[in-house]
Amino acid sequence: MADRPRRIPEATVARLPVYLRSLLQLAGEKTGTISSERLAEMAGVNAAKVRKDLSYLGSYGTRGVGYDVEYLLFQMSRELGLTQDWPVVIVGIGNMGQALANYPGFTSRGFPIAALVDADASKVGHEVHGKRVRHIDELPDIAAEQHIAIGIIATPAHAAQDVADRLLAAGVTSILNFAPAVINVPATASLRKVDLAVELQILSFYQQQRDNEGDGAAAPAPSADAAG
Amino acid sequence: MADRPRRIPEATVARLPVYLRSLLQLAGEKTGTISSERLAEMAGVNAAKVRKDLSYLGSYGTRGVGYDVEYLLFQMSRELGLTQDWPVVIVGIGNMGQALANYPGFTSRGFPIAALVDADASKVGHEVHGKRVRHIDELPDIAAEQHIAIGIIATPAHAAQDVADRLLAAGVTSILNFAPAVINVPATASLRKVDLAVELQILSFYQQQRDNEGDGAAAPAPSADAAG
DNA sequence: GTCAGGTCGTGCACGTGTTCACAATCAAGT
DNA sequence: ACTTGATTGTGAACACGTGCACGACCTGAC
């Protein structure tokens, strides 16, 4: 089998889910084929980038026609590992953890919330979103029983590294960190972070630049694509 | 005045808030000076990057010694526009919007939640986090009265672009989008996005790659720094 | 069969970001 | 004053990501 020499750039991987969302919408509208130009418009990027990104998956387009929506959807889902469900565990059931537990977008997109855990004994036993909160010490058992590979950290900053270590020890090698703290994981694991305060501070920087316009040159268009 | 030829790269801007957080911690521990190497460790990057990033702010370090924590803290806060508060408006008071409204990290870091708005009349008038929810039609008045420059979109996807347009029309030129949708803003505005499903799908991709290890080469360490 | 219109796949050039390596500088000890 | 050890600031090389431009290819009409 001629295995293509695939190694998808990180920037491309980060955009694939956005294309996927556009394709799902198109499939719902019974659109048969889509050109790179239209898909680019939907995804908020330019057409050349779409073509290059998709070319990493293979040559799934037809010159003069475009891409078959259903076929591309399937190939992209397969590439992203979305032909299976990925149960997730949420650690830290405070404001943010509860909101995440109630967020319908996870389950509907193939990431069912399999477990909620917290270190606070007063929270254990409570029900959130129909799930009973369990103690974090049970993490190894929970992860093994439910085959959990992805963990979401929604604890205060000071607990984040310890939770990450516990997740890793329990075999959870993909981590999404909401806590406002830097955490370290070995190269054999994946880590992505979402830090709300950081996002606002970045916006603040550019906002201030615009407010101060009139000094030197105008602000150099910081807008558009960012935190993916 | 010799104005330095500053134009801070986007990648650097995205890291400044992380340095800032580390500096705040150091200041709390009464640390007087910090080397680029230790700061790099705290921020999860390498020392050369720290020095280059900080050099865009000016030459605030002392060779052989390091950086004065308090002084650097001040300069960085100034650069990020954090010497003033930035009141924010949250649009869409569902699960996520409520959680964001209750999140203490915003106010404590200089982003007080000045207003909550929703298009759903049944939500208007309710109190969330001590704030009354107001109707989105009042947005222009609210933004003007409270000098709001930053808006957070926490609506369903289908409403996101319309809300963004309304925010812009009300003079809000910095937008943080939580809705799972691509939205367009003019180059005179800033947009950052946080998409939870996208983050999980990226993790899923690399997780699958690790699960399939043993085929070709090992997974090329996708971990660490990402979504800022 | 040929032509016209349309769209993909990709080589190439460019810009941005990262890392190395080292001169420049400072503090402290003698 | 000199030496030693530490640390910054930055030039230069390298890696990565982006966008243009164009050849390759497909479809449909006549």
Side-chain angles (χ1 to χ4, degrees):
Chain A
M1 288 165 268
D3 57 341
R4 24 210 164 104
R6 260 208 323 262
R7 207 226 97 227
I8 305 184
E10 204 171 318
T12 294
V13 172
R15 281 188 296 268
L16 292 182
V18 181
Y19 300 145
L20 185 75
R21 203 169 53 202
S22 304
L23 290 171
L24 283 171
Q25 185 184 331
L26 290 167
E29 297 165 355
K30 306 291 182 203
T31 307
T33 63
I34 181 79
S35 69
S36 61
E37 192 159 358
R38 281 236 306 137
L39 184 53
E41 191 185 358
M42 294 181 74
V45 299
N46 80 21
K49 203 181 294 191
V50 169
R51 289 199 296 277
K52 186 150 287 189
D53 285 343
L54 296 186
S55 76
Y56 290 115
L57 306 181
S59 282
Y60 296 146
T62 305
R63 291 168 148 95
V65 178
Y67 300 89
D68 182 281
V69 173
E70 288 291 342
Y71 186 57
L72 187 55
L73 200 45
F74 169 72
Q75 293 295 346
M76 194 173 293
S77 295
R78 191 175 55 77
E79 199 71 40
L80 284 170
L82 301 177
T83 52
Q84 61 173 289
D85 273 5
W86 294 95
V88 303
V89 56
I90 299 178
V91 184
I93 312 301
N95 276 327
M96 197 58 66
Q98 286 184 37
L100 296 174
N102 284 313
Y103 186 60
F106 290 163
T107 301
S108 74
R109 285 167 189 270
F111 298 92
I113 293 157
L116 309 175
V117 306
D118 201 298
D120 184 349
S122 74
K123 290 204 180 108
V124 173
H126 280 221
E127 283 222 344
V128 175
H129 193 246
K131 274 259 174 302
R132 196 172 61 84
V133 177
R134 298 174 69 179
H135 194 272
I136 192 172
D137 288 345
E138 298 183 62
L139 204 48
D141 293 341
I142 296 170
E145 282 166 17
Q146 314 223 26
H147 302 94
I148 296 176
I150 300 179
I152 300 180
I153 299 179
T155 66
H158 64 83
Q161 181 66 60
D162 180 57
V163 167
D165 294 341
R166 283 162 173 261
L167 283 168
L168 291 164
V172 176
T173 51
S174 293
I175 295 178
L176 179 55
N177 178 34
F178 274 84
V182 172
I183 65 184
N184 294 303
V185 300
T188 51
S190 297
L191 169 68
R192 295 195 59 89
K193 33 187 191 277
V194 172
D195 191 317
L196 307 180
V198 166
E199 294 301 324
L200 288 179
Q201 287 170 359
I202 295 170
L203 287 175
S204 159
F205 173 84
Y206 291 114
Q207 180 69 39
Q208 176 180 243
Q209 294 234 321
R210 282 195 298 277
D211 288 353
N212 292 354
E213 78 192 350
D215 299 8
S223 87
D225 77 292
Chain B
M1 291 163 265
D3 56 343
R4 21 208 165 102
R6 257 204 330 259
R7 206 226 98 225
I8 306 183
E10 205 171 316
T12 295
V13 173
R15 280 188 295 268
L16 293 183
V18 181
Y19 302 144
L20 185 76
R21 203 169 52 202
S22 305
L23 290 171
L24 282 171
Q25 184 184 331
L26 290 167
E29 297 165 356
K30 306 290 181 203
T31 306
T33 63
I34 181 78
S35 69
S36 62
E37 193 159 359
R38 283 234 305 135
L39 185 53
E41 192 185 357
M42 294 181 73
V45 300
N46 80 21
K49 202 182 292 191
V50 168
R51 289 199 297 276
K52 186 145 284 192
D53 284 344
L54 296 187
S55 77
Y56 290 115
L57 305 182
S59 283
Y60 296 146
T62 306
R63 291 168 146 98
V65 179
Y67 300 88
D68 182 281
V69 172
E70 289 292 342
Y71 187 57
L72 187 55
L73 199 45
F74 169 72
Q75 293 295 346
M76 194 174 294
S77 294
R78 192 177 52 81
E79 197 72 42
L80 284 169
L82 302 177
T83 52
Q84 60 174 290
D85 273 7
W86 294 95
V88 303
V89 55
I90 299 178
V91 183
I93 312 300
N95 276 326
M96 196 58 64
Q98 286 185 36
L100 295 175
N102 285 311
Y103 186 59
F106 288 162
T107 302
S108 75
R109 286 166 189 272
F111 299 91
I113 293 156
L116 309 174
V117 306
D118 202 299
D120 184 350
S122 73
K123 290 203 180 108
V124 174
H126 281 220
E127 283 223 345
V128 174
H129 192 247
K131 274 260 172 303
R132 196 172 62 85
V133 177
R134 297 174 69 178
H135 194 272
I136 192 172
D137 287 345
E138 299 183 60
L139 204 47
D141 293 340
I142 296 171
E145 283 166 18
Q146 316 224 23
H147 301 96
I148 295 176
I150 300 179
I152 300 180
I153 299 178
T155 65
H158 64 81
Q161 181 65 60
D162 180 57
V163 167
D165 293 342
R166 282 161 172 262
L167 283 168
L168 292 164
V172 177
T173 51
S174 294
I175 294 178
L176 179 55
N177 178 33
F178 276 84
V182 172
I183 64 184
N184 293 303
V185 300
T188 52
S190 297
L191 169 68
R192 296 195 57 90
K193 33 185 190 269
V194 172
D195 191 319
L196 308 179
V198 166
E199 294 301 323
L200 289 178
Q201 287 170 358
I202 295 170
L203 287 175
S204 158
F205 173 83
Y206 290 112
Q207 181 69 37
Q208 176 180 244
Q209 294 232 322
R210 283 196 298 277
D211 289 352
N212 293 353
E213 80 192 350
D215 300 7
S223 89
D225 79 293

